[in-house]
Amino acid sequence: MPDSGPDPRVADLGFARLDVDRAARTGDPEVVYGAGKTPEQLVTILRTLHERHPDRAVLATRLSEEALATVPEALPEAVVDRVARAVTLGPLPAARGTVAILSAGTSDAPVAAEAALTIRVHGAGVDRIDDVGVAGLHRLLGVRDRLASADCLVVVAGMEGALPSVVGGLSGVPLVAVPTSVGYGASFGGVAALLGMLNSCAPGVTVVNIDNGYGAGVFAARVARNAAPRPDAS
């Protein structure tokens, strides 16, 4: 059979084959998982994806300290989020819908920040509600109106992972729970929180993997983008 030439849906960089057709298929371009990649590889990947999608931001997550310092030097237009350990290149899309991100404690901030940046890159707005863990329930009860006004909730917690169950019992908004690796020895690096969330007695709690703020962010942004207009919307 004759050679049909390179596949236009793939950008072959030698060390990586980028799925540049993903935005057309799913509505969202490929995101770069930065762990294990050199800064030079990250720069090449981000530049290539940006050239294919110049109208919207591309995202690289889980960057090393070296990459967080090096990538912006090669790509001056890149924006670094050091808390999320991530970089974006290109303009963020207009937000459709709102995701409220609840974190149990300050130690959960890196995962919550990764979720927040992912949501913005994937085209939804963000309402951050930090440090509302179950050890002080009055803090959570004081923001119930913000839960009700969101199109989706991302609930980030470590330790025993109880916060999503409590939030799920207070609100009927779609909810994705993110267990974090925060906690003492018997938390087993987030396994205790993961199992607690999977065994939640509150209905409608969806769970992603330990520390997976990115996965939760994509899910929540897609829910928010596709949410039906509210009856009181102008």
Side-chain angles (χ1 to χ4, degrees):
M1 297 179 62
D3 186 359
S4 59
D7 189 339
R9 299 169 297 179
V10 176
D12 192 344
L13 305 180
F15 62 87
R17 289 166 51 84
L18 304 184
D19 180 5
V20 295
D21 183 59
R22 190 173 302 180
R25 292 197 320 272
T26 70
D28 301 305
E30 182 173 4
V31 170
V32 187
Y33 180 66
K37 294 181 176 65
T38 68
E40 294 75 20
Q41 288 174 332
L42 288 167
V43 167
T44 301
I45 293 171
L46 282 168
R47 183 179 286 130
T48 302
L49 289 173
H50 179 57
E51 289 172 352
R52 298 299 183 99
H53 310 290
D55 58 330
R56 62 178 298 177
V58 291
L59 171 66
T61 66
R62 299 303 170 96
L63 271 62
S64 66
E65 286 297 321
E66 180 187 8
L68 286 171
T70 303
V71 169
E73 294 178 357
L75 300 171
E77 295 181 0
V79 178
V80 176
D81 187 327
R82 298 196 69 85
V83 178
R85 296 172 294 168
V87 169
T88 58
L89 181 63
L92 295 174
R96 292 166 24 216
T98 301
V99 179
I101 301 177
L102 293 82
S103 62
T106 306
S107 297
D108 301 307
V111 177
E114 182 180 77
L117 182 59
T118 300
I119 289 164
R120 293 188 180 103
V121 168
H122 286 76
V126 171
D127 179 19
R128 287 285 299 269
I129 305 173
D130 297 321
D131 203 15
V132 288
V134 298
L137 282 176
H138 57 288
R139 299 173 299 184
L140 179 61
L141 296 175
V143 296
R144 288 184 66 182
D145 57 331
R146 293 165 68 182
L147 309 184
S149 63
D151 298 298
C152 191
L153 306 175
V154 172
V155 184
V156 183
M159 301 291 185
E160 81 281 32
L163 184 60
S165 290
V166 176
V167 175
L170 293 173
S171 172
V173 176
L175 186 160
V176 53
V178 190
T180 70
S181 51
V182 172
Y184 293 102
S187 69
F188 298 108
V191 173
L194 172 64
L195 294 177
M197 293 175 185
L198 288 172
N199 286 287
S200 174
C201 64
V205 174
T206 299
V207 186
V208 297
N209 208 344
I210 299 168
D211 291 337
N212 190 8
Y214 164 72
V218 174
F219 172 85
R222 289 178 174 177
V223 170
R225 285 181 347 212
N226 289 281
R230 294 177 182 275
D232 59 351
S234 57

